[in-house]
Short mmCIF file of all heavy atoms in Angstrom, two decimals:
data_model
loop_
_atom_site.label_atom_id
_atom_site.label_comp_id
_atom_site.label_asym_id
_atom_site.label_seq_id
_atom_site.Cartn_x
_atom_site.Cartn_y
_atom_site.Cartn_z
N ASP B 139 8.11 -1.38 -17.57
CA ASP B 139 8.76 -2.70 -17.33
C ASP B 139 7.70 -3.72 -16.96
O ASP B 139 6.93 -3.53 -16.05
CB ASP B 139 9.79 -2.52 -16.16
CG ASP B 139 10.51 -3.74 -15.85
OD1 ASP B 139 9.95 -4.60 -15.09
OD2 ASP B 139 11.58 -3.95 -16.37
N HIS B 140 7.67 -4.81 -17.74
CA HIS B 140 6.66 -5.83 -17.53
C HIS B 140 6.73 -6.50 -16.16
O HIS B 140 5.70 -6.84 -15.59
CB HIS B 140 6.73 -6.88 -18.61
CG HIS B 140 6.36 -6.39 -19.98
ND1 HIS B 140 7.19 -6.33 -21.04
CD2 HIS B 140 5.17 -5.88 -20.39
CE1 HIS B 140 6.58 -5.79 -22.07
NE2 HIS B 140 5.34 -5.49 -21.72
N GLU B 141 7.93 -6.69 -15.65
CA GLU B 141 8.03 -7.33 -14.34
C GLU B 141 7.53 -6.41 -13.27
O GLU B 141 6.78 -6.81 -12.33
CB GLU B 141 9.44 -7.77 -14.05
CG GLU B 141 9.88 -8.86 -14.99
CD GLU B 141 11.09 -9.65 -14.46
OE1 GLU B 141 11.39 -9.58 -13.25
OE2 GLU B 141 11.71 -10.35 -15.23
N ASN B 142 7.91 -5.17 -13.33
CA ASN B 142 7.41 -4.21 -12.31
C ASN B 142 5.89 -4.09 -12.37
O ASN B 142 5.26 -4.03 -11.31
CB ASN B 142 8.05 -2.83 -12.56
CG ASN B 142 9.47 -2.74 -12.06
OD1 ASN B 142 9.91 -3.58 -11.26
ND2 ASN B 142 10.20 -1.77 -12.52
N LEU B 143 5.35 -4.08 -13.57
CA LEU B 143 3.94 -3.96 -13.69
C LEU B 143 3.23 -5.21 -13.11
O LEU B 143 2.23 -5.08 -12.38
CB LEU B 143 3.56 -3.84 -15.21
CG LEU B 143 2.17 -3.36 -15.57
CD1 LEU B 143 1.82 -2.03 -14.94
CD2 LEU B 143 1.98 -3.31 -17.07
N GLY B 144 3.79 -6.42 -13.39
CA GLY B 144 3.21 -7.64 -12.85
C GLY B 144 3.26 -7.61 -11.32
O GLY B 144 2.31 -7.92 -10.62
N SER B 145 4.43 -7.25 -10.79
CA SER B 145 4.58 -7.19 -9.32
C SER B 145 3.61 -6.20 -8.69
O SER B 145 3.07 -6.43 -7.62
CB SER B 145 5.99 -6.73 -8.92
OG SER B 145 6.94 -7.65 -9.42
N LEU B 146 3.38 -5.10 -9.36
CA LEU B 146 2.43 -4.10 -8.87
C LEU B 146 1.05 -4.65 -8.73
O LEU B 146 0.36 -4.44 -7.73
CB LEU B 146 2.44 -2.90 -9.86
CG LEU B 146 3.18 -1.69 -9.38
CD1 LEU B 146 3.50 -0.78 -10.56
CD2 LEU B 146 2.34 -0.92 -8.40
N PHE B 147 0.66 -5.44 -9.72
CA PHE B 147 -0.68 -6.06 -9.65
C PHE B 147 -0.76 -7.11 -8.51
O PHE B 147 -1.76 -7.21 -7.80
CB PHE B 147 -1.05 -6.72 -11.00
CG PHE B 147 -1.76 -5.82 -11.96
CD1 PHE B 147 -1.01 -4.97 -12.81
CD2 PHE B 147 -3.13 -5.69 -11.99
CE1 PHE B 147 -1.68 -4.11 -13.67
CE2 PHE B 147 -3.78 -4.85 -12.85
CZ PHE B 147 -3.05 -4.02 -13.72
N ARG B 148 0.31 -7.84 -8.37
CA ARG B 148 0.34 -8.82 -7.30
C ARG B 148 0.16 -8.10 -5.92
O ARG B 148 -0.61 -8.53 -5.09
CB ARG B 148 1.66 -9.58 -7.31
CG ARG B 148 1.78 -10.62 -6.21
CD ARG B 148 3.09 -11.33 -6.26
NE ARG B 148 3.13 -12.41 -5.24
CZ ARG B 148 4.17 -13.17 -4.95
NH1 ARG B 148 5.31 -13.00 -5.64
NH2 ARG B 148 4.10 -14.08 -4.03
N ASN B 149 0.88 -6.99 -5.78
CA ASN B 149 0.80 -6.26 -4.53
C ASN B 149 -0.52 -5.52 -4.37
O ASN B 149 -1.04 -5.45 -3.27
CB ASN B 149 1.97 -5.24 -4.43
CG ASN B 149 3.32 -5.98 -4.44
OD1 ASN B 149 3.38 -7.18 -4.16
ND2 ASN B 149 4.39 -5.29 -4.75
N ALA B 150 -1.09 -5.09 -5.49
CA ALA B 150 -2.43 -4.48 -5.42
C ALA B 150 -3.46 -5.51 -4.93
O ALA B 150 -4.29 -5.22 -4.09
CB ALA B 150 -2.82 -3.99 -6.84
N ALA B 151 -3.37 -6.70 -5.44
CA ALA B 151 -4.26 -7.76 -4.98
C ALA B 151 -4.07 -8.09 -3.52
O ALA B 151 -5.01 -8.25 -2.76
CB ALA B 151 -4.05 -9.04 -5.84
N ALA B 152 -2.80 -8.12 -3.10
CA ALA B 152 -2.52 -8.46 -1.68
C ALA B 152 -3.14 -7.47 -0.74
O ALA B 152 -3.51 -7.84 0.37
CB ALA B 152 -1.00 -8.52 -1.49
N PHE B 153 -3.18 -6.24 -1.12
CA PHE B 153 -3.71 -5.22 -0.22
C PHE B 153 -5.06 -4.65 -0.61
O PHE B 153 -5.43 -3.57 -0.23
CB PHE B 153 -2.64 -4.12 -0.03
CG PHE B 153 -1.41 -4.64 0.63
CD1 PHE B 153 -0.23 -4.76 -0.06
CD2 PHE B 153 -1.45 -5.07 1.96
CE1 PHE B 153 0.93 -5.28 0.55
CE2 PHE B 153 -0.32 -5.61 2.57
CZ PHE B 153 0.86 -5.70 1.83
N GLY B 154 -5.80 -5.45 -1.34
CA GLY B 154 -7.14 -5.12 -1.60
C GLY B 154 -7.45 -3.89 -2.42
O GLY B 154 -8.49 -3.22 -2.25
N ILE B 155 -6.54 -3.55 -3.35
CA ILE B 155 -6.79 -2.40 -4.27
C ILE B 155 -7.90 -2.92 -5.21
O ILE B 155 -7.86 -3.96 -5.76
CB ILE B 155 -5.49 -2.07 -5.02
CG1 ILE B 155 -4.42 -1.54 -4.06
CG2 ILE B 155 -5.76 -1.10 -6.15
CD1 ILE B 155 -4.77 -0.24 -3.39
N ASP B 156 -8.88 -2.00 -5.46
CA ASP B 156 -10.08 -2.40 -6.24
C ASP B 156 -9.89 -2.33 -7.73
O ASP B 156 -10.68 -2.88 -8.49
CB ASP B 156 -11.28 -1.56 -5.82
CG ASP B 156 -11.57 -1.67 -4.36
OD1 ASP B 156 -11.72 -2.82 -3.88
OD2 ASP B 156 -11.63 -0.65 -3.63
N GLY B 157 -8.89 -1.61 -8.17
CA GLY B 157 -8.67 -1.46 -9.62
C GLY B 157 -7.42 -0.65 -9.93
O GLY B 157 -6.91 0.08 -9.05
N VAL B 158 -6.95 -0.82 -11.14
CA VAL B 158 -5.70 -0.17 -11.58
C VAL B 158 -6.02 0.66 -12.82
O VAL B 158 -6.60 0.16 -13.76
CB VAL B 158 -4.60 -1.18 -11.83
CG1 VAL B 158 -3.35 -0.47 -12.41
CG2 VAL B 158 -4.27 -1.97 -10.59
N LEU B 159 -5.62 1.93 -12.81
CA LEU B 159 -5.74 2.79 -14.02
C LEU B 159 -4.34 2.90 -14.61
O LEU B 159 -3.39 3.25 -13.94
CB LEU B 159 -6.28 4.16 -13.64
CG LEU B 159 -7.59 4.16 -12.78
CD1 LEU B 159 -8.14 5.59 -12.74
CD2 LEU B 159 -8.64 3.23 -13.39
N LEU B 160 -4.28 2.68 -15.91
CA LEU B 160 -2.99 2.77 -16.63
C LEU B 160 -2.88 4.08 -17.36
O LEU B 160 -3.61 4.27 -18.33
CB LEU B 160 -2.88 1.59 -17.59
CG LEU B 160 -3.00 0.19 -16.95
CD1 LEU B 160 -3.17 -0.87 -18.04
CD2 LEU B 160 -1.82 -0.13 -16.06
N GLY B 161 -2.04 4.95 -16.88
CA GLY B 161 -1.85 6.23 -17.56
C GLY B 161 -0.81 6.11 -18.68
O GLY B 161 -0.43 5.03 -19.07
N ALA B 162 -0.37 7.30 -19.10
CA ALA B 162 0.62 7.31 -20.17
C ALA B 162 1.87 6.52 -19.89
O ALA B 162 2.35 6.46 -18.75
CB ALA B 162 0.99 8.78 -20.49
N GLY B 163 2.39 5.84 -20.90
CA GLY B 163 3.67 5.16 -20.81
C GLY B 163 3.65 3.80 -20.09
O GLY B 163 4.73 3.22 -19.83
N CYS B 164 2.46 3.32 -19.78
CA CYS B 164 2.41 1.98 -19.15
C CYS B 164 2.38 0.89 -20.20
O CYS B 164 1.72 1.07 -21.24
CB CYS B 164 1.22 1.84 -18.24
SG CYS B 164 1.32 2.88 -16.79
N SER B 165 3.03 -0.22 -19.92
CA SER B 165 2.96 -1.28 -20.92
C SER B 165 1.74 -2.14 -20.66
O SER B 165 0.90 -1.84 -19.82
CB SER B 165 4.26 -2.11 -20.91
OG SER B 165 4.47 -2.60 -19.60
N ASP B 166 1.65 -3.19 -21.45
CA ASP B 166 0.46 -4.04 -21.48
C ASP B 166 0.52 -5.04 -20.33
O ASP B 166 1.40 -5.91 -20.33
CB ASP B 166 0.42 -4.73 -22.83
CG ASP B 166 -0.74 -5.72 -23.00
OD1 ASP B 166 -1.56 -5.77 -22.06
OD2 ASP B 166 -0.82 -6.33 -24.04
N PRO B 167 -0.40 -5.05 -19.38
CA PRO B 167 -0.32 -5.95 -18.22
C PRO B 167 -0.58 -7.35 -18.61
O PRO B 167 -0.34 -8.29 -17.79
CB PRO B 167 -1.46 -5.44 -17.28
CG PRO B 167 -1.93 -4.21 -17.83
CD PRO B 167 -1.53 -4.11 -19.27
N LEU B 168 -1.09 -7.62 -19.85
CA LEU B 168 -1.43 -8.95 -20.23
C LEU B 168 -0.30 -9.67 -20.97
O LEU B 168 -0.47 -10.81 -21.44
CB LEU B 168 -2.71 -8.96 -21.08
CG LEU B 168 -3.97 -8.53 -20.31
CD1 LEU B 168 -5.18 -8.52 -21.16
CD2 LEU B 168 -4.20 -9.43 -19.06
N TYR B 169 0.88 -9.03 -21.03
CA TYR B 169 2.03 -9.74 -21.60
C TYR B 169 2.36 -10.90 -20.65
O TYR B 169 2.16 -10.85 -19.46
CB TYR B 169 3.24 -8.81 -21.66
CG TYR B 169 3.35 -8.10 -22.98
CD1 TYR B 169 2.28 -7.60 -23.68
CD2 TYR B 169 4.63 -7.87 -23.54
CE1 TYR B 169 2.40 -6.93 -24.85
CE2 TYR B 169 4.77 -7.20 -24.74
CZ TYR B 169 3.67 -6.72 -25.41
OH TYR B 169 3.81 -6.09 -26.60
N ARG B 170 2.86 -11.98 -21.28
CA ARG B 170 3.11 -13.21 -20.58
C ARG B 170 3.93 -12.97 -19.28
O ARG B 170 3.59 -13.50 -18.21
CB ARG B 170 3.86 -14.18 -21.48
CG ARG B 170 4.05 -15.55 -20.94
CD ARG B 170 4.53 -16.52 -22.07
NE ARG B 170 5.76 -16.03 -22.64
CZ ARG B 170 6.96 -16.45 -22.23
NH1 ARG B 170 7.08 -17.29 -21.26
NH2 ARG B 170 8.06 -16.01 -22.87
N ARG B 171 4.99 -12.19 -19.39
CA ARG B 171 5.84 -11.98 -18.27
C ARG B 171 5.13 -11.28 -17.11
O ARG B 171 5.31 -11.57 -15.93
CB ARG B 171 7.09 -11.21 -18.66
CG ARG B 171 8.11 -11.08 -17.52
CD ARG B 171 9.35 -10.39 -18.01
NE ARG B 171 10.14 -11.24 -18.84
CZ ARG B 171 11.45 -11.10 -19.05
NH1 ARG B 171 12.09 -10.11 -18.45
NH2 ARG B 171 12.10 -11.90 -19.79
N SER B 172 4.24 -10.30 -17.47
CA SER B 172 3.51 -9.59 -16.42
C SER B 172 2.54 -10.53 -15.76
O SER B 172 2.36 -10.51 -14.51
CB SER B 172 2.75 -8.44 -17.02
OG SER B 172 3.61 -7.45 -17.51
N VAL B 173 1.87 -11.34 -16.56
CA VAL B 173 0.90 -12.28 -15.98
C VAL B 173 1.60 -13.20 -15.00
O VAL B 173 1.12 -13.43 -13.90
CB VAL B 173 0.22 -13.10 -17.10
CG1 VAL B 173 -0.70 -14.16 -16.50
CG2 VAL B 173 -0.55 -12.23 -18.08
N ARG B 174 2.77 -13.69 -15.41
CA ARG B 174 3.54 -14.65 -14.54
C ARG B 174 3.96 -13.99 -13.28
O ARG B 174 3.78 -14.51 -12.16
CB ARG B 174 4.71 -15.21 -15.36
CG ARG B 174 5.41 -16.32 -14.59
CD ARG B 174 6.57 -16.86 -15.35
NE ARG B 174 7.58 -15.87 -15.60
CZ ARG B 174 8.24 -15.73 -16.71
NH1 ARG B 174 8.07 -16.49 -17.71
NH2 ARG B 174 9.22 -14.80 -16.83
N VAL B 175 4.65 -12.84 -13.39
CA VAL B 175 5.18 -12.17 -12.22
C VAL B 175 4.07 -11.74 -11.27
O VAL B 175 4.21 -11.70 -10.07
CB VAL B 175 6.09 -10.95 -12.62
CG1 VAL B 175 6.52 -10.14 -11.42
CG2 VAL B 175 7.34 -11.50 -13.39
N SER B 176 2.90 -11.41 -11.85
CA SER B 176 1.76 -11.02 -11.01
C SER B 176 1.15 -12.19 -10.30
O SER B 176 0.25 -12.00 -9.47
CB SER B 176 0.68 -10.35 -11.84
OG SER B 176 -0.15 -11.30 -12.47
N MET B 177 1.63 -13.42 -10.56
CA MET B 177 1.05 -14.65 -10.06
C MET B 177 -0.42 -14.74 -10.51
O MET B 177 -1.31 -15.32 -9.82
CB MET B 177 1.13 -14.71 -8.53
CG MET B 177 2.51 -14.63 -7.97
SD MET B 177 3.46 -16.14 -8.30
CE MET B 177 2.77 -17.23 -7.06
N GLY B 178 -0.73 -14.18 -11.67
CA GLY B 178 -2.05 -14.26 -12.25
C GLY B 178 -3.02 -13.17 -11.73
O GLY B 178 -4.16 -13.11 -12.18
#
Side-chain angles (χ1 to χ4, degrees):
Chain B
D139 181 276
H140 291 116
E141 293 201 16
N142 282 342
L143 194 57
S145 300
L146 257 159
F147 271 86
R148 182 180 183 185
N149 298 341
F153 295 110
I155 296 294
D156 301 306
V158 175
L159 309 190
L160 304 167
C164 291
S165 56
D166 179 2
L168 295 179
Y169 268 39
R170 187 167 60 91
R171 185 177 288 203
S172 294
V173 175
R174 185 179 65 220
V175 173
S176 82
M177 301 289 283

